[in-house]
Amino acid sequence: MNFCSNCGATVKQRIPEGDTALRDVCDQCGTIHYINPKMVVGALAEWEGKILLCRRAIEPRRGMWTLPAGFMEMAETTAEAALRETREEACARVELIELYTLVNIAHIGQVHMFYRARLPEPVFAAGEESLEVALFDEASIPWDDIAFRSVSLALRQFFADRAKRDFHFRTYDLAPQTSF
Amino acid sequence: MNFCSNCGATVKQRIPEGDTALRDVCDQCGTIHYINPKMVVGALAEWEGKILLCRRAIEPRRGMWTLPAGFMEMAETTAEAALRETREEACARVELIELYTLVNIAHIGQVHMFYRARLPEPVFAAGEESLEVALFDEASIPWDDIAFRSVSLALRQFFADRAKRDFHFRTYDLAPQTSF
């Protein structure tokens, strides 16, 4: 941030009185500009044992597979965000079952959440941000081409829980990925 | 938002190409300024059956009681946010048990989350944003003076679950409050 979005003056980075963190502060109008983590919300939808995945048409990770998910918008709930993203990216109308996975990715300021969901009929299509959308059974999940680690976590949790017929909500923390 | 925080030009509200929502767009440098919901994270900490509450020293709801909680910061996890807020507002070091309550408050663009936690010893004090901090048993919770509905929800969930000795994660949606 360079300029105050309120008055247009140049902002300075400093720790405001009573605070402990560096903020973008405007000394002209007094606005303190906070930056907070964002939520990415999506759905892990099942139809006859198969999971709905989208192949990304956009960066990052263009060409790789993901659960339908995206940034939560103002004035919607986490459930509404999951339904909207599934509609937009997979042209599918799913029924949410429960909030199932929450993944902290602190180093990029994101929290990813996935709902477990039911696809009532195999009706879907590639939305604007998808190259293709398809159903995968457990044996055919393209593990090496999954776009995001949070998606891999949710899928592994799902198949492990399904094997035990015991689904429950879990949280995870992802640290920066080391490359070899 | 009036000015572009990147280049300082005046922003306009319009729907960018390929988008469906109104955004603050800068036609000079091309930046699209997204505004997303924020997370408020806190702890519901128990010591010998009593719950740790803080009386707010700041607006909104100055003078009313709340669970220690606050806006999640960049580069921290939801658990780290709950621990930090409890340290800052109640000067208490708690041990988190599990993410317990998630409350959508879509009309103000917030998601509140509370961890269930253990206060290992009755050591606490009022932090800068608290007038006082105290332990309350179920019968003495100041229900009429609880600052936020999400806090009341989490407390009611806790006492109901505790009575059944069956704690589990739940989500809620809060609509705008009607006044009578």
Side-chain angles (χ1 to χ4, degrees):
Chain A
M1 169 169 272
N2 304 306
F3 298 95
C4 176
S5 54
N6 182 47
C7 77
T10 305
V11 295
K12 282 181 198 147
Q13 281 228 328
R14 60 180 169 82
I15 300 173
E17 203 187 310
D19 201 340
T20 55
L22 272 177
R23 313 285 181 189
D24 293 306
V25 179
C26 178
D27 288 322
Q28 182 166 295
C29 74
T31 303
I32 302 168
H33 298 278
Y34 297 95
I35 300 173
N36 298 93
K38 291 182 198 294
M39 286 168 277
V40 170
V41 188
L44 194 166
E46 189 181 18
W47 178 78
E48 294 196 351
K50 296 177 177 178
I51 303 303
L52 189 71
L53 296 180
C54 304
R55 201 153 73 87
R56 291 174 62 80
I58 54 170
E59 294 296 348
R61 313 292 164 84
R62 187 176 194 278
M64 296 182 80
W65 293 90
T66 187
L67 294 169
F71 286 105
M72 186 177 169
E73 300 273 6
M74 297 299 286
E76 70 184 359
T77 64
T78 47
E80 289 165 348
L83 293 171
R84 177 182 52 73
E85 290 290 346
T86 307
R87 228 164 39 229
E88 289 176 4
E89 299 187 353
C91 304
R93 290 178 188 275
V94 298
E95 296 161 6
L96 301 184
I97 299 167
E98 61 178 353
L99 184 54
Y100 183 57
T101 310
L102 183 147
V103 186
N104 278 286
I105 316 173
H107 61 286
I108 57 168
Q110 292 185 4
V111 174
H112 293 193
M113 298 185 209
F114 300 103
Y115 279 80
R116 204 155 60 79
R118 198 179 291 114
L119 181 66
E121 41 181 6
V123 174
F124 52 82
E128 273 195 34
E129 298 183 2
S130 303
L131 296 171
E132 57 179 315
V133 175
L135 289 165
F136 291 86
D137 61 22
E138 184 175 359
S140 64
I141 295 278
W143 293 108
D144 292 340
D145 296 313
I146 297 294
F148 305 108
R149 287 186 292 159
S150 61
V151 170
S152 298
L153 276 176
L155 288 169
R156 289 189 196 283
Q157 174 188 349
F158 177 82
F159 292 122
D161 282 0
R162 192 171 71 175
K164 291 180 289 185
R165 294 180 189 191
D166 178 21
F167 294 101
H168 61 275
F169 175 75
R170 283 195 199 80
T171 65
Y172 304 87
D173 297 339
L174 283 178
Q177 198 158 24
T178 50
S179 47
F180 297 98
Chain B
M1 169 170 272
N2 303 308
F3 299 95
C4 175
S5 55
N6 183 48
C7 77
T10 304
V11 296
K12 281 181 200 148
Q13 281 227 329
R14 60 179 169 83
I15 301 174
E17 204 187 308
D19 201 341
T20 55
L22 271 177
R23 313 285 180 188
D24 292 307
V25 179
C26 177
D27 288 322
Q28 180 165 295
C29 73
T31 303
I32 302 168
H33 299 278
Y34 296 96
I35 301 172
N36 299 92
K38 291 182 197 294
M39 287 168 276
V40 169
V41 188
L44 193 165
E46 188 181 19
W47 178 77
E48 294 196 351
K50 297 178 176 177
I51 304 301
L52 190 71
L53 295 180
C54 304
R55 201 153 74 84
R56 290 174 63 80
I58 54 170
E59 295 296 348
R61 313 292 164 84
R62 187 176 193 281
M64 296 182 80
W65 291 90
T66 186
L67 294 170
F71 286 105
M72 186 175 169
E73 298 274 6
M74 296 299 285
E76 70 183 0
T77 64
T78 47
E80 288 165 347
L83 292 171
R84 178 182 52 73
E85 290 290 346
T86 308
R87 228 163 41 229
E88 288 177 4
E89 299 187 353
C91 304
R93 289 177 190 276
V94 298
E95 296 160 7
L96 301 184
I97 299 167
E98 61 179 353
L99 184 55
Y100 183 57
T101 311
L102 183 146
V103 186
N104 278 286
I105 317 173
H107 61 286
I108 58 168
Q110 292 185 3
V111 174
H112 293 192
M113 298 184 208
F114 300 104
Y115 279 79
R116 205 155 60 80
R118 199 178 291 114
L119 182 66
E121 42 181 5
V123 175
F124 52 82
E128 273 194 31
E129 298 183 2
S130 303
L131 296 170
E132 57 180 313
V133 175
L135 288 164
F136 291 87
D137 61 22
E138 183 174 359
S140 64
I141 295 280
W143 292 109
D144 293 340
D145 295 314
I146 298 293
F148 305 107
R149 286 186 292 159
S150 61
V151 170
S152 298
L153 275 176
L155 288 169
R156 289 189 197 281
Q157 173 188 348
F158 177 82
F159 293 122
D161 282 359
R162 191 171 72 176
K164 290 180 289 184
R165 295 181 189 191
D166 178 21
F167 294 101
H168 60 274
F169 175 75
R170 282 195 201 80
T171 64
Y172 304 88
D173 297 338
L174 282 178
Q177 198 158 25
T178 49
S179 47
F180 298 97

